[in-house]
Every structure is written in structure tokens, then in C-alpha cells.
Amino acid sequence: MSEKEKVAADVELTSSDRTDLDSVARPWTTTRRELWAFYVYYIGNNGLSGFNFGPSQFQNLLFLAGYDPAHPPFTAPCGADTQCVLPYLGSVRDVNSIVLLTNGISFALQAVVLLLIGAWADYGRWRPNITIFFTILAVAVSFAWLGVDDPSRWQAGVALYILGLITYQCALTFWTAAFPGLARDLPNVRQSAAETVSGEKTLSEHADYESMERNRISNISFAVCSAGEIIILAIMVGILKGLKSDASTENNTKAFSALIAFSGGVWLICALPWFFLEKRRPGLALPPGASMLTIGFKQTFVALRECMRLKQTFLIFYFLMGDVLNTTVTVIGTLQNSVVSYSTLQLTLLLIVGIVAQGAGIYLFWLVQKRFQISTKTMLCFNVFWILILTVWGLIGIHTDKFGFKHVWEIWLYQAYYGLMVCPWYAYSQTMISEVSPLPQMFLFFALFSVVGKTSAFIGPLVSSAIITASGNNDNYPFVFLFTLGALSTVFLYLVDVQKSRTECEAFVLAEAKREAFADSP
């Protein structure tokens, strides 16, 4: 039976609740080894190199290379109580503004990359190669930081910062997109599908069961990552003690690069099992007249066009809230680095607190959801409320120095708060995408949402950078923009109807099947 026929058969089973019952006949079964290889990969791709220490080292180099604008250029170094500027892209800019601007450039490039290759994961049997490629490139970037440990090389730091973010996000995107297939091929999910075919279960019951399994995989992967990351950070504390990072500014700067390289090495080790154990599940055949160079743009155009019919895919919400969270974390990160004076030891200890809280937060969210059988959307709504509180926290600091990420004790509190109340976003937002997207083109829609997220993340930092400059270098002013945008986005989340989404996905799949969009790959 072709994929088109299987999709059509699924649609004929119901007019309101589409499910993937063809998994009964699929020859692939998700084994415990494959599932744990998936979890272990995330221990390596934890963001320490490209998302944490890389950006911190970049900002550290900018601060050491910059000067106090109250004096002639490059005659007075930046201090804890002074402003800090550098010439960048044609203007003299605040260091925090430079970080946000470069962050925006990075996300813009990510959007272009994902537009070009985002749909490749849908075709043939080689889609795991995309994850492998970006992982190896990210590891190479991590080791390249060993050669950028002096303020005079901050321009090279710009390139590594951008490359590090791009490779980290792209590897994460295509790794994440694998989990719906893993859930679908679990033995218990296949058994549930068989019971549905035999009439022992309703389609709605099976859809809810599979949804809960996707949530379980997503949440366990985050919990395993958190546990592994704590061990990595504990080892890093030992490395910092050995390097005497707190003895001098020079030692601290070299320690940043050493930690980034160590993170890259751990990533490679943790990635190897997934590279070898992931099953090469077949994708789709290329549509007539399409090539690998054009399919990404063509499929993205098709997906955007179909999103006019798939109104419940909460694309607008994801666009807005993705911008709010990504930019909020970046802005707070720049404030955090300044408050702790770029201390590698302090930042590492802060991350340990954040990761412990993250593991606890995700696990508690999952326990509550499982105990009371709460829907993914409801859990996401609860999570979004606490994200908005985070922006209010920063907003208060506009006109006072007593609160608003201005003190070391606030940074410690922020790490605990972020882990407990904000981090579950990364699990539930991805699960929500899988619940409101057409299953045969799940990879395409994951890539589409990733493009949307990166596009919004490109806009937010640029706007925030401009706000900081226009406000006379007040680093808390972007929180006005972020709170307003976040409050607006919640309206679109509350309007999402998951049941209607399944109906719309059913119609989408049937229409695409008739156009032979889901032909089997040879």
C-alpha cells in the first residue's frame, strides 16, 4: 500500500479525528536502545557551547575590547560602573546592543538555512544525515573557540558566535523532529493502534494516548538532559579550579574557551549512539519537477499556503511567543553576564542551579499532567503565564536599580525561576506542534515552525537593540516591548482548538494525497 493510499484509508475511518493507524503495518519498532540514544544525544546538545558559554565569551571579549564613551575612544577601559561601547556595523554601539544585533543576524541566517533545507528531512532515507552534519560542524566551532581567547580577536568571536548559534539550533531542530516518529513506533502505541483498528478503542482515545506518549518522550528527554548536564557542569567546576580562572581576567577569558571546547567534545561523544542507532525511516518521493535545491522553498510556500486552511496550527502564537522568550532570555543573559562580571565560575555555578531547577520543573509539570490527564494546550497556557511574569520582572527595572536583574541575588533567583517555570516551554511547545500538524509531513511543519521561530527571533533582538540605543543605553527598556508582545500572543493561544486542528489536518492530508504529494520514496 502506498503512503497516499494509507493516508486516504486513515481519513475514511473518521471525519473528525485523524490518527496514524497505518503504524500497525509499519516494519519499524522503536527499541529501548534507540529511545535512550535519542535521550543521550540531548545531553550533548545541551546548549552549553553555542547557547551559554559561547555568547558569554563573545560578550566578555566585547567588554574587554570596548571603551568608556565618557572618554576619547579607546583611552579608558570599560568598568563595572561605566557604559561600554565599540564601533560595530558603522556605528558606535553599547556592548549589549551589539550582542542583540549579532543575535538577530544569526537568527536571520538560520531562517535562510532552514528555508533551503528544512524540507529535506521529509524526503528519502537520509534525513538523519542533516542532524549529523550540523552536529559535527557545531563541535568544530566549539573547538575553534580555543583560538579566540584574547580581546583583540573579538571580530573572530562574531563569526564563531553566529556559527555556534546556527549549528546548535539546526541540529536541535532536526533532532527534535524525530520524536513523533519514535512515539508512533513504540510497541505500546502500535498495540493501541491495533486495538483501534479492531474496534476495542475509539480514534479519539488512541489520539489522546499517542499524545501522552509524545509528551512522555519529550519530558523524559529534557529530564535526562538536565541530569547529564549537571554532571558536565560539575566537571567544569573542576576544570575552572585547575585553570585558576578566578586568578586573573586573562585566565578567566581562556577558561571560557576551554569550557566551550569541552562542551563540544562531550556533545560528540553523546551524539555517536544516536548516529548509529536511529532507524532510517523512509520519507517521501520528490514531487515532479522539484529538486533538492528548490524543494525547501516550494514546500515552505505550500505549507504557508495550507496554513490558511490549517488555522489551528497556532502559527501566529508561536511566532510571537517564540520572539518574546528568545529575546527575553538573550536580554537577561546580557544583564546576567554584566552583573557577575563575566566570571566563568559564577556562570557555571548559576547554570548548575538552573539545570537542577529545569529538571525538577519539567518533571513536576509532567507528573501533574499525567496525574490529572491535562491537555498539552492547558499545560502550555499555564507555562506562558510564568513567561509573562519574567518580562514584568525586567520591566520593573527600567526606573529603579533595586530590582530588575540588577543584583547577583536576582540572578540566582532567576536561574531557579527559569528552570522551574519557564523551561517546560521547550517540551510542551514542541509537543503542541506535533499535535496540530499533518503527520505525513511532520518534518516539514517542524521545519516551518522553526523558520517562523527563527524569523521572529531575528526581529526581536534587532528591535531590542534599537530600543536600547534610543533609550540612552537603558538595557531594561526592551522588556516593555517584550511584555506587550507576549500579552498579545496569549490571545492566539487561547483561540487554538486542537480538535478542530485534527479535522483540518485530515482534510489537508486527503487533499495532498489526491495530488500524490505523499508518494513513497524508492
Side-chain angles (χ1 to χ4, degrees), residues 298-316:
K298 181 176 180 179
Q299 288 292 76
T300 300
F301 169 77
V302 169
L304 286 171
R305 182 192 67 199
E306 295 301 336
C307 275
M308 300 302 293
R309 285 195 288 134
L310 299 176
K311 301 178 183 63
Q312 302 300 323
T313 56
F314 85 130
L315 197 64
I316 298 175

Side-chain angles (χ1 to χ4, degrees), residues 175-285:
W175 168 83
T176 302
F179 94 87
L182 291 175
R184 177 179 48 177
D185 290 339
L186 284 169
N188 52 317
V189 173
R190 290 164 61 94
Q191 178 61 32
S192 176
E195 292 172 358
T196 305
V197 170
S198 66
E200 298 175 50
K201 271 187 176 182
T202 66
L203 285 166
S204 178
E205 288 173 339
H206 174 69
D208 290 341
Y209 181 79
E210 185 172 341
S211 170
M212 196 62 67
E213 286 300 298
R214 286 197 296 265
N215 274 296
R216 182 179 68 84
I217 291 176
S218 182
N219 284 295
I220 289 177
S221 68
F222 275 90
V224 170
C225 174
S226 298
E229 199 169 350
I230 291 170
I231 296 173
I232 294 169
L233 289 168
I235 296 172
M236 285 181 170
V237 171
I239 292 174
L240 293 175
K241 293 294 185 181
L243 294 174
K244 296 180 171 59
S245 62
D246 54 353
S248 67
T249 300
E250 181 181 358
N251 283 9
N252 187 68
T253 302
K254 290 182 180 297
F256 263 125
S257 294
L259 293 185
I260 297 169
F262 176 72
S263 299
V266 172
W267 187 352
L268 181 60
I269 292 172
C270 292
L272 290 176
W274 179 242
F275 290 170
F276 292 106
L277 294 176
E278 181 186 7
K279 293 181 174 62
R280 300 273 172 148
R281 296 169 173 86
L284 310 174

